Amino acid sequence: MRNVIIAGNWKMYKDMTATAELIEGLKSRLTSLPPRVTVVICPPFTSLAIAGTLLKGSPLALGAQNMSQHDEGAFTGEISWNMIRSAGCEYVILGHSERRQYFGEKDELINTKAKKAIASMLKPILCVGETLAEREQGITDRIITAQVRGVLSGLTRAEMSSVVIAYEPVWAIGTGKTATPAQAQEVHQMIRKLVSQIYDWPLAEQTVIQYGGSVKPDNAAELFSQNDIDGALVGGACLKADSFAAIVNAAK
Ligand code: PGA
């Protein structure tokens, strides 16, 4: 059976006090996890260090929401792989649709960051997804194929084994509109087939492909029951301990 990863993308929410509160709430609700289930929380940069300290000894892993493609230097406002690792991160979300939409990130940059993350022993969660206009034009497959090929470009098989892919239809993010389990499954299956064409089936079979976009406690179980959906990247519903824990429990 494939591994499942549930990640909480806190986006630009929670100061340090609220971070500590939410982590305590999660730790008390998620005291143990089955071996095939990984839970990652991704608070804002300013909360990573406190989160790293509070998560020590818990089954929850830590991730960042972005990182620079550079090692260090005069890059005002940027955060490096070494900084997030030293705060305790094992994961980093790259190429989220909000980074693409508001900060102009393109597949090529996301690919460069992915290579840097892997070389730095971080597991990248690489996000892809079509907009509503693209879905309505019937070009979802073409868009997703280009994004997946773009973000994975030049990654070796060994590098690919630490990659997590998150399929997040842009029209389902923060809108309350979820792709139906069947709609999501169709794209996930397509992505897995594409990974098998770029690499091979054994690797594609073990690649974790998360779904993201208005995942909530009441739709999580049905999404997770699909063959090619291996967990979730959760936004809104990860900001409360009860709802995030309920989503994790749906994957157990
Ligand atoms: P949402 O966000 O769950 O609030 O739709 C998901 C995401 O942006 O990762």
Side-chain angles (χ1 to χ4, degrees):
M1 219 179 193
R2 217 173 287 128
N3 289 331
V4 166
I5 302 179
I6 317 286
N9 173 11
W10 294 18
K11 305 192 180 184
M12 200 173 74
Y13 293 100
K14 309 286 179 190
D15 60 16
M16 290 200 351
T17 311
T19 294
E21 267 170 33
L22 181 50
I23 288 180
E24 292 310 333
L26 290 171
K27 283 201 312 193
S28 66
R29 286 164 181 80
L30 299 169
T31 47
S32 70
L33 295 171
R36 66 180 192 91
V37 177
T38 298
V39 175
V40 187
I41 62 161
C42 305
F45 288 131
T46 46
S47 290
L48 288 177
I50 177 102
T53 304
L54 293 173
L55 288 175
K56 282 211 178 91
S58 92
L60 310 177
L62 188 63
Q65 299 173 19
N66 183 29
M67 61 167 233
S68 169
Q69 70 273 35
H70 301 291
D71 290 324
E72 62 178 1
F75 300 105
T76 302
E78 288 291 272
I79 304 280
S80 74
W81 62 267
N82 183 43
M83 296 167 185
I84 62 176
R85 273 208 53 188
S86 69
C89 289
E90 293 171 57
Y91 291 82
V92 58
I93 300 171
L94 294 175
H96 188 277
S97 64
E98 288 150 16
R99 301 293 319 166
R100 292 173 184 262
Q101 185 179 348
Y102 304 125
F103 303 95
E105 294 199 7
K106 301 262 186 302
D107 292 333
E108 199 184 341
L109 173 66
I110 298 158
N111 175 248
T112 304
K113 290 185 176 190
K115 287 177 179 153
K116 179 62 71 181
I118 297 165
S120 317
M121 309 292 283
L122 286 158
K123 298 185 187 95
I125 298 177
L126 303 180
C127 304
V128 296
E130 83 285 5
T131 62
L132 184 57
E134 289 161 347
R135 177 159 282 262
E136 285 174 350
Q137 285 169 55
I139 56 171
T140 298
D141 284 17
R142 180 154 39 99
I143 296 295
I144 300 298
T145 300
Q147 289 181 356
V148 171
R149 285 195 179 278
V151 298
L152 298 183
S153 176
L155 290 189
T156 64
R157 192 180 190 283
E159 287 173 322
M160 181 60 197
S161 61
S162 57
V163 167
V164 176
I165 297 175
Y167 168 58
E168 297 204 303
V170 177
W171 49 272
I173 295 179
T175 58
K177 286 187 201 155
T178 328
T180 63
Q183 276 176 323
Q185 164 60 24
E186 199 185 327
V187 179
H188 280 238
Q189 193 174 22
M190 192 270 282
I191 294 173
R192 197 174 308 285
K193 193 165 159 220
L194 183 58
V195 173
S196 80
Q197 287 162 355
I198 303 172
Y199 299 94
D200 51 61
W201 259 115
L203 182 64
E205 262 304 317
Q206 74 181 42
T207 300
V208 172
I209 308 177
Q210 299 176 312
Y211 171 78
S214 298
V215 176
K216 307 277 181 250
D218 61 2
N219 60 22
E222 211 190 339
L223 286 161
F224 297 158
S225 71
Q226 304 297 309
N227 269 344
D228 292 290
I229 299 184
D230 317 312
L233 181 53
V234 183
C238 79
L239 297 173
K240 293 215 162 66
D242 277 340
S243 52
F244 191 57
I247 292 170
V248 172
N249 287 329
K252 277 187 181 174

